[in-house]
Amino acid sequence: MLGVIGGSGFYSFFGDDARSVRLDTPYGAPSAPITMGTVGEHEVAFLPRHGVNHEFSPHSVPYRANMWALRALGVRRIFGPCAVGSLTPQYGPGATVVPDQLVDRTTGRPDTYFDSGGIHVGFADPYCPSLRAAASGLPGVVDGGTMVVIQGPRFSTRAESQWFASQGFTLINMTGYPEAVLARELEMCYAAIALVTDLDAGIDANSAVRAVDVFAEFQRNLVPFRKLVHEAIENLDDERTCTHCLAHDGVQLPFELP
């Protein structure tokens, strides 16, 4: 089974014929009931990251519950569509980017299932190459970029934005971590698909980022963006063949994965 975790403004994925599943986890309830449907030949589970009514801010999303619930349902491959700001004029609003690197600038978020047991997880390449290829090969999609994940819920100052850009980072986001590393700990393939909604404050000196503008830009692009995610799913093989994301090969875990 495949999973899709929708970001800001991306609260549904199927028609009225989808079925809904409610479940609990050792980490509490996920952000919302999970809806199940099909895309092409694939069975897909969809979860809105922020809840169906955007109840959860980026720092309060129940990331561990979300990822655990999807794995418990049988999901092993996940696309994470998300809204991002751009740290380069090269990618303006409406651009779609499949990042290949991530920088964590969050603080205090529960970001592991292994609070005991001395488990270490390789994360040099944080995204699944098979999923990235399925999305980045679509027309008009930018292949590669570094996404810096900030704590939120505030946007960056101009100085912070310029600092990130000077480091060579190309995208800025509030939810890409710890989602990606939790997927790796659960041995699920994961790739972000980023829709640019704005130029960050330090890049566009004549304006500042406002939430209302971000949501409006996302809504303007939602229909083609949702279609792109459908196409990325249809590009995938029926069976998972990736071994890159099997992080615990040869390692004795302190508990059994769901």
Side-chain angles (χ1 to χ4, degrees):
M1 187 184 300
L2 301 174
V4 174
I5 303 177
S8 297
F10 201 141
Y11 306 125
S12 63
F13 197 60
F14 304 110
D16 296 335
D17 56 340
R19 62 186 178 94
S20 180
V21 177
R22 293 181 180 270
L23 71 167
D24 204 359
T25 79
Y27 306 94
S31 298
I34 298 171
T35 53
M36 315 283 286
T38 57
V39 175
E41 300 298 318
H42 297 286
E43 186 176 12
V44 179
F46 174 78
L47 176 63
R49 182 182 293 117
H50 296 279
V52 292
N53 296 305
H54 207 96
E55 304 96 305
F56 296 99
S57 289
H59 66 291
S60 62
V61 169
Y63 295 101
R64 290 194 295 182
N66 287 351
M67 306 308 284
W68 190 277
L70 288 170
R71 168 141 184 140
L73 284 174
V75 170
R76 295 297 182 269
R77 295 180 288 179
I78 297 174
F79 280 120
C82 57
V84 299
S86 175
L87 293 168
T88 170
Q90 182 180 354
Y91 307 144
T96 302
V97 184
V98 179
D100 60 346
Q101 277 297 318
L102 177 154
V103 174
D104 171 33
R105 294 288 300 172
T106 66
T107 58
R109 299 184 183 186
D111 62 353
T112 183
Y113 295 105
F114 300 114
D115 292 320
S116 62
I119 304 300
H120 303 278
V121 176
F123 202 53
D125 297 297
Y127 301 115
C128 171
S130 298
L131 293 186
R132 286 195 66 258
S136 62
L138 295 171
V141 175
V142 178
D143 181 7
T146 296
M147 184 165 73
V148 57
V149 184
I150 61 172
Q151 176 68 2
R154 71 170 178 85
F155 295 114
S156 298
T157 66
R158 295 188 194 281
E160 289 169 333
S161 177
Q162 291 166 357
W163 177 44
F164 295 145
S166 73
Q167 302 305 302
F169 310 154
T170 49
L171 307 171
I172 186 165
N173 167 269
M174 297 181 188
T175 57
Y177 189 92
E179 200 167 273
V181 73
L182 293 173
R184 185 64 54 85
E185 287 195 347
L186 293 178
E187 293 194 322
M188 295 190 292
C189 294
Y190 178 93
I193 305 177
L195 175 65
V196 175
T197 57
D198 60 275
L199 291 177
D200 211 44
I203 309 305
D204 183 358
N206 296 317
S207 63
V209 181
R210 301 191 311 156
V212 64
D213 299 328
V214 168
F215 284 115
E217 182 64 28
F218 197 96
Q219 287 302 312
R220 276 192 290 272
N221 290 280
L222 180 57
V223 172
F225 189 50
R226 187 186 285 123
K227 181 175 181 290
L228 186 148
V229 176
H230 275 255
E231 291 172 347
I233 291 172
E234 292 172 351
N235 274 350
L236 291 172
D237 294 334
D238 291 342
E239 298 296 328
R240 178 193 189 191
T241 58
C242 171
T243 58
H244 173 84
C245 302
L246 300 180
H248 307 307
D249 188 28
V251 176
Q252 181 66 43
L253 299 182
F255 57 82
E256 186 175 345
L257 300 182

